[in-house]
Amino acid sequence: MVGILSVGVLAGCGAKDNKTNASGGSEPNKPAAAAELTGTVSASGSTALQPLVSKAAQDFMAKNPKVTVNVTGGGSGTGVKNVADGVSDIGNSDVEADAQYKDSLKDNIVVIAPFALIVNKASVGIDNLTKAQAADIFMGKITNWKDVGGKDLKITVVHRPDSSGSRKLVKQIVLDNKDFTKDGVTQDTSKTVAEAVGSTEGSVGYVDVPYIKGNDKIKALKMDGVEYSADNIKSGKYPLYGIEHMYTKKDKESPAVKAFIEFIMSKEFLGKPEVTDLGFLPADLIKK
Protein backbone atom coordinates (compact mmCIF):
# COMPACT_ATOMS: atom_id res chain seq x y z
CA MET A 1 0.00 0.00 0.00
CA VAL A 2 2.79 2.45 0.86
CA GLY A 3 4.50 1.72 -2.46
CA ILE A 4 1.30 2.27 -4.43
CA LEU A 5 0.62 5.61 -2.67
CA SER A 6 4.19 6.78 -3.34
CA VAL A 7 3.84 6.10 -7.05
CA GLY A 8 0.57 8.05 -7.12
CA VAL A 9 2.12 11.05 -5.37
CA LEU A 10 5.07 11.13 -7.80
CA ALA A 11 2.72 10.86 -10.79
CA GLY A 12 0.74 13.82 -9.47
CA CYS A 13 3.88 15.93 -9.04
CA GLY A 14 4.95 15.11 -12.59
CA ALA A 15 1.60 16.29 -13.91
CA LYS A 16 2.15 19.70 -12.29
CA ASP A 17 5.62 20.11 -13.88
CA ASN A 18 4.53 19.55 -17.46
CA LYS A 19 1.81 21.01 -19.68
CA THR A 20 -0.60 18.41 -21.08
CA ASN A 21 -1.05 18.54 -24.84
CA ALA A 22 -4.25 17.90 -26.77
CA SER A 23 -3.58 14.19 -27.10
CA GLY A 24 -3.13 13.77 -23.37
CA GLY A 25 0.70 13.66 -23.44
CA SER A 26 3.08 16.22 -21.92
CA GLU A 27 5.66 18.71 -23.26
CA PRO A 28 8.61 20.40 -21.52
CA ASN A 29 8.31 23.97 -20.24
CA LYS A 30 8.97 26.61 -22.95
CA PRO A 31 11.95 28.98 -22.37
CA ALA A 32 11.12 32.48 -21.18
CA ALA A 33 10.86 35.15 -23.88
CA ALA A 34 13.86 37.44 -24.31
CA ALA A 35 13.64 40.63 -22.29
CA GLU A 36 12.41 43.65 -24.24
CA LEU A 37 15.14 46.20 -24.99
CA THR A 38 14.85 49.51 -23.16
CA GLY A 39 16.98 52.60 -22.61
CA THR A 40 18.75 55.31 -24.56
CA VAL A 41 21.62 55.03 -27.05
CA SER A 42 23.66 58.13 -27.94
CA ALA A 43 25.98 58.28 -30.95
CA SER A 44 28.13 61.24 -32.01
CA GLY A 45 31.03 62.02 -34.33
CA SER A 46 31.53 61.58 -38.06
CA THR A 47 29.09 63.57 -40.20
CA ALA A 48 30.12 61.36 -43.14
CA LEU A 49 28.67 58.33 -41.35
CA GLN A 50 25.72 60.26 -39.88
CA PRO A 51 23.19 59.56 -42.70
CA LEU A 52 23.65 55.81 -42.25
CA VAL A 53 23.49 55.93 -38.44
CA SER A 54 20.42 58.18 -38.51
CA LYS A 55 18.61 55.79 -40.86
CA ALA A 56 19.57 52.85 -38.67
CA ALA A 57 18.29 54.71 -35.60
CA GLN A 58 14.87 55.22 -37.20
CA ASP A 59 14.55 51.57 -38.20
CA PHE A 60 15.90 50.26 -34.88
CA MET A 61 13.48 52.37 -32.82
CA ALA A 62 10.59 51.13 -34.97
CA LYS A 63 11.56 47.56 -34.02
CA ASN A 64 12.30 48.47 -30.39
CA PRO A 65 9.81 51.13 -29.28
CA LYS A 66 11.20 51.33 -25.74
CA VAL A 67 14.67 52.38 -26.98
CA THR A 68 15.59 55.95 -27.95
CA VAL A 69 18.61 56.48 -30.24
CA ASN A 70 20.04 60.00 -30.47
CA VAL A 71 22.49 60.74 -33.30
CA THR A 72 24.61 63.90 -33.57
CA GLY A 73 27.68 64.99 -35.55
CA GLY A 74 30.69 66.97 -34.38
CA GLY A 75 33.44 65.22 -36.35
CA SER A 76 35.30 61.94 -35.90
CA GLY A 77 37.73 63.25 -33.29
CA THR A 78 34.86 64.58 -31.20
CA GLY A 79 32.98 61.29 -31.43
CA VAL A 80 35.94 59.23 -30.24
CA LYS A 81 36.63 61.62 -27.37
CA ASN A 82 32.96 61.66 -26.40
CA VAL A 83 32.78 57.89 -26.05
CA ALA A 84 36.10 57.78 -24.18
CA ASP A 85 34.83 60.46 -21.76
CA GLY A 86 31.46 58.77 -21.28
CA VAL A 87 29.54 61.58 -23.00
CA SER A 88 28.31 59.26 -25.78
CA ASP A 89 27.71 55.51 -25.95
CA ILE A 90 29.06 55.34 -29.51
CA GLY A 91 31.75 57.39 -31.25
CA ASN A 92 31.48 57.40 -35.04
CA SER A 93 34.74 57.89 -36.94
CA ASP A 94 36.06 57.84 -40.52
CA VAL A 95 39.56 56.99 -39.27
CA GLU A 96 41.12 54.80 -36.61
CA ALA A 97 41.18 56.20 -33.09
CA ASP A 98 44.47 57.48 -31.71
CA ALA A 99 46.71 54.96 -29.95
CA GLN A 100 45.79 56.36 -26.52
CA TYR A 101 42.28 54.90 -26.91
CA LYS A 102 43.21 51.42 -28.17
CA ASP A 103 43.05 49.72 -24.77
CA SER A 104 39.81 51.31 -23.59
CA LEU A 105 37.65 51.36 -26.74
CA LYS A 106 36.19 48.59 -28.88
CA ASP A 107 36.44 49.14 -32.64
CA ASN A 108 33.30 48.10 -34.54
CA ILE A 109 34.00 48.38 -38.27
CA VAL A 110 30.60 48.81 -39.90
CA VAL A 111 30.89 49.89 -43.55
CA ILE A 112 33.10 51.45 -46.22
CA ALA A 113 32.29 55.01 -47.30
CA PRO A 114 33.43 56.16 -50.75
CA PHE A 115 34.59 59.79 -50.76
CA ALA A 116 35.01 62.14 -53.70
CA LEU A 117 36.52 65.50 -54.49
CA ILE A 118 33.68 67.83 -55.48
CA VAL A 119 33.62 71.09 -57.42
CA ASN A 120 31.11 73.78 -58.28
CA LYS A 121 29.43 72.24 -61.33
CA ALA A 122 28.58 75.43 -63.19
CA SER A 123 31.90 77.24 -63.01
CA VAL A 124 34.99 75.04 -62.86
CA GLY A 125 35.06 73.24 -66.21
CA ILE A 126 36.90 70.00 -65.36
CA ASP A 127 35.91 66.36 -64.72
CA ASN A 128 39.19 64.88 -63.50
CA LEU A 129 42.22 65.64 -61.36
CA THR A 130 45.37 63.64 -60.90
CA LYS A 131 46.33 62.95 -57.32
CA ALA A 132 49.29 65.33 -57.71
CA GLN A 133 47.06 68.13 -59.04
CA ALA A 134 44.56 67.64 -56.22
CA ALA A 135 47.33 67.72 -53.62
CA ASP A 136 48.75 70.95 -55.08
CA ILE A 137 45.29 72.55 -54.99
CA PHE A 138 44.60 71.59 -51.38
CA MET A 139 48.10 72.70 -50.35
CA GLY A 140 47.67 76.06 -52.11
CA LYS A 141 50.31 75.55 -54.80
CA ILE A 142 47.73 75.71 -57.61
CA THR A 143 45.28 78.58 -57.21
CA ASN A 144 43.62 78.91 -60.63
CA TRP A 145 41.57 76.30 -62.49
CA LYS A 146 43.24 77.14 -65.82
CA ASP A 147 46.42 75.50 -64.50
CA VAL A 148 44.66 72.09 -64.45
CA GLY A 149 42.72 72.49 -67.70
CA GLY A 150 39.74 74.41 -66.36
CA LYS A 151 38.49 77.95 -66.67
CA ASP A 152 40.49 81.07 -65.82
CA LEU A 153 39.03 81.28 -62.34
CA LYS A 154 40.40 81.51 -58.81
CA ILE A 155 40.15 78.30 -56.76
CA THR A 156 38.34 78.47 -53.42
CA VAL A 157 39.11 75.55 -51.12
CA VAL A 158 36.34 74.46 -48.74
CA HIS A 159 37.84 72.75 -45.69
CA ARG A 160 36.61 70.71 -42.74
CA PRO A 161 37.93 71.49 -39.22
CA ASP A 162 40.90 69.67 -37.71
CA SER A 163 38.62 67.33 -35.73
CA SER A 164 37.09 66.01 -38.96
CA GLY A 165 37.83 62.44 -40.00
CA SER A 166 37.09 63.42 -43.61
CA ARG A 167 39.87 66.00 -43.45
CA LYS A 168 42.31 63.46 -41.99
CA LEU A 169 41.34 60.94 -44.65
CA VAL A 170 42.01 63.36 -47.53
CA LYS A 171 45.22 64.50 -45.87
CA GLN A 172 46.48 60.89 -45.65
CA ILE A 173 45.36 59.68 -49.07
CA VAL A 174 45.62 62.75 -51.30
CA LEU A 175 48.20 64.98 -49.60
CA ASP A 176 50.45 62.16 -48.31
CA ASN A 177 50.12 63.74 -44.84
CA LYS A 178 51.35 67.17 -45.96
CA ASP A 179 49.54 70.26 -44.68
CA PHE A 180 46.46 71.89 -46.17
CA THR A 181 46.60 75.52 -47.24
CA LYS A 182 45.27 77.92 -44.64
CA ASP A 183 43.43 79.85 -47.35
CA GLY A 184 39.80 79.10 -48.08
CA VAL A 185 36.73 78.58 -45.90
CA THR A 186 35.89 75.97 -43.26
CA GLN A 187 32.57 74.19 -42.82
CA ASP A 188 31.59 72.16 -39.76
CA THR A 189 29.78 69.29 -41.51
CA SER A 190 29.85 67.30 -44.74
CA LYS A 191 26.41 68.66 -45.57
CA THR A 192 27.52 72.28 -45.32
CA VAL A 193 30.65 71.52 -47.39
CA ALA A 194 28.44 70.26 -50.22
CA GLU A 195 26.17 73.29 -49.89
CA ALA A 196 29.10 75.74 -49.85
CA VAL A 197 30.73 74.17 -52.92
CA GLY A 198 27.41 74.23 -54.74
CA SER A 199 26.88 77.92 -54.03
CA THR A 200 30.46 79.25 -54.40
CA GLU A 201 31.95 79.88 -57.84
CA GLY A 202 35.30 78.15 -58.40
CA SER A 203 35.13 76.09 -55.21
CA VAL A 204 36.41 72.61 -54.42
CA GLY A 205 35.92 70.36 -51.40
CA TYR A 206 35.51 66.72 -50.35
CA VAL A 207 32.58 64.70 -49.01
CA ASP A 208 31.37 61.12 -48.91
CA VAL A 209 28.89 60.09 -51.57
CA PRO A 210 25.56 60.44 -49.70
CA TYR A 211 26.07 64.21 -49.82
CA ILE A 212 26.62 64.19 -53.59
CA LYS A 213 23.40 62.42 -54.49
CA GLY A 214 20.55 64.78 -55.21
CA ASN A 215 22.73 67.92 -55.31
CA ASP A 216 22.77 69.09 -58.93
CA LYS A 217 25.03 72.07 -58.15
CA ILE A 218 28.12 69.99 -57.46
CA LYS A 219 30.15 67.49 -59.48
CA ALA A 220 32.20 64.54 -58.24
CA LEU A 221 35.60 64.44 -59.92
CA LYS A 222 37.43 61.38 -61.16
CA MET A 223 40.88 60.80 -59.66
CA ASP A 224 43.55 59.86 -62.19
CA GLY A 225 40.71 59.12 -64.62
CA VAL A 226 38.90 56.71 -62.27
CA GLU A 227 35.47 57.35 -60.77
CA TYR A 228 34.30 56.04 -57.42
CA SER A 229 32.43 52.70 -57.55
CA ALA A 230 32.32 49.48 -55.58
CA ASP A 231 34.27 47.65 -58.28
CA ASN A 232 36.97 50.34 -58.52
CA ILE A 233 37.41 50.42 -54.76
CA LYS A 234 37.55 46.62 -54.53
CA SER A 235 40.14 46.42 -57.31
CA GLY A 236 42.31 49.14 -55.75
CA LYS A 237 41.91 51.53 -58.69
CA TYR A 238 40.06 54.18 -56.65
CA PRO A 239 41.85 55.09 -53.41
CA LEU A 240 39.61 57.66 -51.75
CA TYR A 241 37.38 55.87 -49.26
CA GLY A 242 37.01 55.58 -45.52
CA ILE A 243 36.66 52.49 -43.34
CA GLU A 244 33.89 53.57 -40.98
CA HIS A 245 34.19 52.83 -37.27
CA MET A 246 31.66 52.93 -34.42
CA TYR A 247 33.66 52.92 -31.18
CA THR A 248 32.22 51.79 -27.85
CA LYS A 249 33.73 51.37 -24.38
CA LYS A 250 35.10 47.87 -23.94
CA ASP A 251 32.91 45.64 -21.74
CA LYS A 252 30.62 48.56 -20.85
CA GLU A 253 28.07 48.46 -23.66
CA SER A 254 24.45 48.22 -22.56
CA PRO A 255 22.22 45.56 -24.18
CA ALA A 256 20.60 48.32 -26.27
CA VAL A 257 23.99 49.61 -27.51
CA LYS A 258 25.14 46.09 -28.41
CA ALA A 259 21.89 45.38 -30.23
CA PHE A 260 22.06 48.65 -32.17
CA ILE A 261 25.63 47.95 -33.34
CA GLU A 262 24.61 44.43 -34.41
CA PHE A 263 21.58 45.83 -36.25
CA ILE A 264 23.53 48.42 -38.26
CA MET A 265 26.01 45.73 -39.35
CA SER A 266 23.30 43.22 -40.28
CA LYS A 267 22.42 42.13 -43.81
CA GLU A 268 18.81 42.90 -42.92
CA PHE A 269 19.63 46.60 -42.59
CA LEU A 270 22.49 47.04 -45.07
CA GLY A 271 20.52 45.19 -47.76
CA LYS A 272 17.61 47.62 -47.76
CA PRO A 273 17.30 49.55 -51.06
CA GLU A 274 17.13 52.91 -49.30
CA VAL A 275 20.36 52.07 -47.43
CA THR A 276 22.10 50.86 -50.60
CA ASP A 277 21.08 54.12 -52.28
CA LEU A 278 23.08 56.07 -49.70
CA GLY A 279 26.25 54.69 -51.28
CA PHE A 280 27.86 52.90 -48.35
CA LEU A 281 29.51 49.57 -49.08
CA PRO A 282 29.84 46.37 -47.01
CA ALA A 283 32.81 46.33 -44.65
CA ASP A 284 34.06 43.02 -46.06
CA LEU A 285 34.46 44.51 -49.58
CA ILE A 286 38.08 45.26 -48.71
CA LYS A 287 39.85 42.31 -47.13
CA LYS A 288 42.67 43.38 -44.86
Side-chain angles (χ1 to χ4, degrees):
M1 287 292 293
V2 171
I4 293 170
L5 288 172
S6 298
V7 170
V9 170
L10 289 172
C13 292
K16 290 179 184 178
D17 288 341
N18 294 279
K19 293 182 180 179
T20 303
N21 61 27
S23 62
S26 63
E27 61 183 16
N29 291 333
K30 293 181 179 179
E36 187 175 14
L37 286 174
T38 62
T40 300
V41 177
S42 58
S44 63
S46 165
T47 60
L49 190 55
Q50 194 170 351
L52 184 74
V53 182
S54 295
K55 172 59 180 168
Q58 293 173 5
D59 292 1
F60 187 77
M61 287 189 289
K63 289 169 65 74
N64 301 277
K66 291 188 178 180
V67 177
T68 299
V69 183
N70 298 314
V71 183
T72 57
S76 298
T78 298
V80 171
K81 188 175 187 307
N82 280 349
V83 72
D85 293 345
V87 176
S88 298
D89 298 308
I90 300 170
N92 302 323
S93 179
D94 309 320
V95 292
E96 286 190 18
D98 291 342
Q100 62 179 309
Y101 299 117
K102 291 298 174 85
D103 293 335
S104 60
L105 299 185
K106 179 182 177 182
D107 184 3
N108 303 282
I109 296 175
V110 288
V111 288
I112 291 168
F115 279 73
L117 308 182
I118 58 171
V119 293
N120 182 272
K121 188 174 183 178
S123 63
V124 170
I126 66 165
D127 298 307
N128 175 73
L129 285 173
T130 67
K131 177 184 170 182
Q133 288 171 334
D136 283 347
I137 287 171
F138 285 114
M139 289 189 291
K141 294 179 180 180
I142 294 176
T143 58
N144 193 300
W145 287 111
K146 69 179 181 180
D147 295 330
V148 290
K151 297 181 180 178
D152 185 3
L153 182 66
K154 179 186 175 183
I155 296 173
T156 298
V157 176
V158 182
H159 298 281
R160 290 293 309 283
D162 289 339
S163 63
S164 162
S166 301
R167 181 185 174 107
K168 290 178 182 177
L169 193 72
V170 173
K171 182 177 181 179
Q172 291 170 1
I173 297 171
V174 180
L175 279 68
D176 293 328
N177 284 317
K178 298 183 177 71
D179 291 330
F180 282 91
T181 176
K182 291 182 169 38
D183 294 332
V185 295
T186 300
Q187 297 291 335
D188 288 336
T189 69
S190 297
K191 180 181 179 181
T192 54
V193 167
E195 291 170 348
V197 171
S199 62
T200 307
E201 189 178 54
S203 58
V204 60
Y206 45 87
V207 293
D208 64 323
V209 299
Y211 294 98
I212 300 170
K213 296 173 186 257
N215 188 334
D216 60 1
K217 295 182 178 180
I218 61 177
K219 178 195 297 185
L221 298 179
K222 296 176 183 177
M223 280 192 66
D224 290 316
V226 180
E227 63 186 357
Y228 72 82
S229 72
D231 287 342
N232 286 337
I233 290 173
K234 185 175 182 178
S235 68
K237 294 177 181 177
Y238 187 83
L240 190 53
Y241 61 87
I243 296 174
E244 301 298 313
H245 311 258
M246 294 179 73
Y247 284 97
T248 54
K249 275 203 169 180
K250 284 183 179 177
D251 304 321
K252 292 186 179 179
E253 306 102 320
S254 70
V257 169
K258 287 182 179 179
F260 181 59
I261 294 282
E262 290 172 0
F263 176 76
I264 202 169
M265 296 171 68
S266 69
K267 291 182 179 179
E268 172 196 356
F269 174 68
L270 292 178
K272 291 183 176 182
E274 59 269 37
V275 175
T276 303
D277 287 346
L278 287 174
F280 294 97
L281 303 172
D284 60 3
L285 183 73
I286 305 296
K287 294 182 179 179
K288 297 294 182 183

